[in-house]
């Protein structure tokens, strides 16, 4: 098969489409003929040499893919050749074929094209597990989503609205603010012009900035609030005001999805299929696709992500 190899740590130009060995299919694996994959910020870190794939996973980038089941391992009863699926991957999505534990495989939801499905597993599993399973966001509560126009943000805004929350999002431009309002956000704050910490009081905060926003996030939490940090774009070390946390009876969580064991990913994936796929199938939550780029030209897709102009997901299609 062919796959995108990272020839050395560096810029988008190090992503090259090469002939590589086919993946091995383990007893519990599903082999997928890939229709499309999607770009995540973590792929950029992997390309730059800052984020090695977890042991035992594919060396090629790509945390999600959609396609058709080509083969299943001896122990797999849940899927069969010919099924249209999408999957949460530890790596290897930027390829013609990928093998993945069956626990991480999902059917393609109704109303979603086979290509669009490639951009759903990572955002759906991340948002559902962090905002709802860990953050326990309830109907009527307020969610603050940082980076509302990101792949993660566009999904979080829609899902929280569909489940009855008041949603506030931060963005970096007026144009992105309009797009995020169209997705259902009740309030959008341009972080270049206003301080979110002075304006919002939230029950749950989905944060991607880490250190830079820690003090502001703690200030913005309501009593009993839950801060869930999933990105460190603003640094990893900062001082946490435990007095403020204690007074608010608040909690802070920091989680990563990629390194979780297969069994834990499986629990999240099944919960997504049960709770999120029906909302996608009903059209209440839609994939937001910024662009489709040929997979062999993954470098171009990374340049687009690096530019920061995108809203939603950038797909890599075959
Ligand atoms: N822990 C996990 O399991 C997990 C899983 C998936 C993703 N993530 C993380 O989630 C984040 C989003 O991922 P993605 O793939 O959706 O990336 P993405 O589409 O490239 O989004 C990055 C976003 O960061 C926003 N941003 C930059 N500076 C900001 C600031 N000062 N305040 C608020 N927003 C700011 C940008 O918004 P503007 O252009 O509007 O500034 C952009 O929308 C990344 O940090 C990624 O590592 C974590």
């Amino acid at each position: 098969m062919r796959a995108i190899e990272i020839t050395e740590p560096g810029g988008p130009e190090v992503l090259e489409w090469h002939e590589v060995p086919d993946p091995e299919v383990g007893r519990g694996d599903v082999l997928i003929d890939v229709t499309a994959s999607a770009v995540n910020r973590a792929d950029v870190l992997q390309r730059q040499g800052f984020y090695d794939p977890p042991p035992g996973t594919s060396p090629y980038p790509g945390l999600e893919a959609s396609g058709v089941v080509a083969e299943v391992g001896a122990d797999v009863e849940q899927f069969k050749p010919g099924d249209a699926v999408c999957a949460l991957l530890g790596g290897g999505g930027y390829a013609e074929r990928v093998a993945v534990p069956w626990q991480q495989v999902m059917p393609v939801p109704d109303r979603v094209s086979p290509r669009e499905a490639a951009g759903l597993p990572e955002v759906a599993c991340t948002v559902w597990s962090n905002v709802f399973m860990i953050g326990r966001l309830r109907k009527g509560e307020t969610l603050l989503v940082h980076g509302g126009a990101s792949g993660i943000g566009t999904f979080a805004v829609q899902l929280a609205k569909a489940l009855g929350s008041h949603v506030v999002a931060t963005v970096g431009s007026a144009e992105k603010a309009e797009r995020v309002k169209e997705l259902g956000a009740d309030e959008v704050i341009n972080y270049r012009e206003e301080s979110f910490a002075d304006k919002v009081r939230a029950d749950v905060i989905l944060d991607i900035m880490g250190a830079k926003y820690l003090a502001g996030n703690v200030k913005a939490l309501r009593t009993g609030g839950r801060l869930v940090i999933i990105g460190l774009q603003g640094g990893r070390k900062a001082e946490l005001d435990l007095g403020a946390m204690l007074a608010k009876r608040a909690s802070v969580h920091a989680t990563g999805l990629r390194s979780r064991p297969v069994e834990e990913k499986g629990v999240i994936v099944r919960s997504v299929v049960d709770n999120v796929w029906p909302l996608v199938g009903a059209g209440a939550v839609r994939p937001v696709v910024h662009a489709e780029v040929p997979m062999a030209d993954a470098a171009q897709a990374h340049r687009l992500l690096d530019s920061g102009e995108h809203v939603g997901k950038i797909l890599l299609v075959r």
Side-chain angles (χ1 to χ4, degrees):
M1 70 165 187
R2 288 169 299 175
I4 290 289
E5 280 191 302
I6 300 172
T7 53
E8 59 180 324
E13 69 286 351
V14 305
L15 301 174
E16 292 185 11
W17 189 233
H18 286 163
E19 196 75 35
V20 300
D22 269 32
E24 285 177 22
V25 186
R27 294 183 68 89
D29 287 347
V30 171
L31 181 69
I32 300 172
D33 261 332
V34 174
T35 302
S37 184
V39 181
N40 286 280
R41 190 138 292 272
D43 306 342
V44 172
L45 296 177
Q46 185 172 339
R47 185 197 78 207
Q48 292 168 334
F50 299 128
Y51 193 17
D52 289 337
T57 52
S58 166
Y60 316 119
L63 298 177
E64 53 192 342
S66 62
V68 176
V69 174
E71 189 183 323
V72 297
D75 294 344
V76 178
E77 296 169 351
Q78 294 75 7
F79 298 95
K80 60 180 188 320
D83 286 350
V85 295
C86 53
L88 182 69
L89 308 173
Y94 295 17
E96 290 178 322
R97 294 186 141 196
V98 65
V100 53
W102 71 265
Q103 293 92 331
Q104 295 170 216
V105 181
M106 295 161 256
V108 172
D110 291 343
R111 286 193 196 229
V112 170
S113 74
R115 283 181 173 189
E116 288 173 324
L120 288 179
E122 181 70 18
V123 292
C125 292
T126 301
V127 171
W128 180 253
S129 62
N130 286 289
V131 176
F132 293 91
M133 295 171 77
I134 293 173
R136 304 180 319 281
L137 182 70
R138 288 183 293 264
K139 197 173 176 177
E141 287 191 326
T142 296
L143 172 70
L144 170 60
V145 180
H146 287 303
S150 65
I152 292 286
T154 51
F155 198 86
V157 166
Q158 294 184 82
L159 185 59
K161 274 314 289 176
L163 291 171
S165 293
H166 183 84
V167 179
V168 187
T170 57
V171 296
S173 72
E175 193 193 344
K176 287 188 176 181
E178 275 314 305
R179 296 289 307 280
V180 174
K181 275 187 201 151
E182 284 164 19
L183 292 173
D186 298 288
E187 296 172 55
V188 181
I189 296 169
N190 184 336
Y191 64 80
R192 295 184 205 278
E193 295 172 354
E194 296 178 280
S195 157
F196 72 87
D198 294 334
K199 276 197 83 175
V200 193
R201 290 298 171 264
D203 301 287
V204 177
I205 301 176
L206 183 63
D207 178 65
I208 58 173
M209 296 306 294
K212 186 175 175 184
Y213 276 8
L214 185 63
N217 281 333
V218 170
K219 185 174 176 189
L221 280 179
R222 284 188 175 141
T223 300
R226 291 84 75 194
L227 167 60
V228 190
I229 299 170
I230 61 163
L232 303 172
Q233 292 176 201
R236 55 188 290 182
K237 288 188 181 175
E239 201 169 87
L240 177 64
D241 182 345
L242 291 170
M245 298 292 288
L246 185 149
K248 292 186 181 192
R249 300 187 296 283
S251 66
V252 55
H253 296 257
T255 75
L257 182 58
R258 190 183 195 183
S259 58
R260 287 191 186 222
V262 172
E263 291 67 30
E264 283 185 29
K265 286 183 181 170
V267 170
I268 293 169
V269 162
R270 300 276 79 79
S271 189
V272 162
V273 171
D274 290 346
N275 295 289
V276 181
W277 267 202
L279 295 167
V280 176
V285 178
R286 296 281 312 146
V288 179
V289 175
H290 181 81
E292 293 187 359
V293 176
M295 189 175 283
D297 200 9
Q300 179 53 26
H302 274 224
R303 282 186 200 101
L304 200 50
L305 193 88
D306 285 348
S307 78
E309 287 165 12
H310 63 291
V311 173
K313 301 288 293 193
I314 299 165
L315 303 185
L316 294 170
V317 299
R318 291 193 42 221

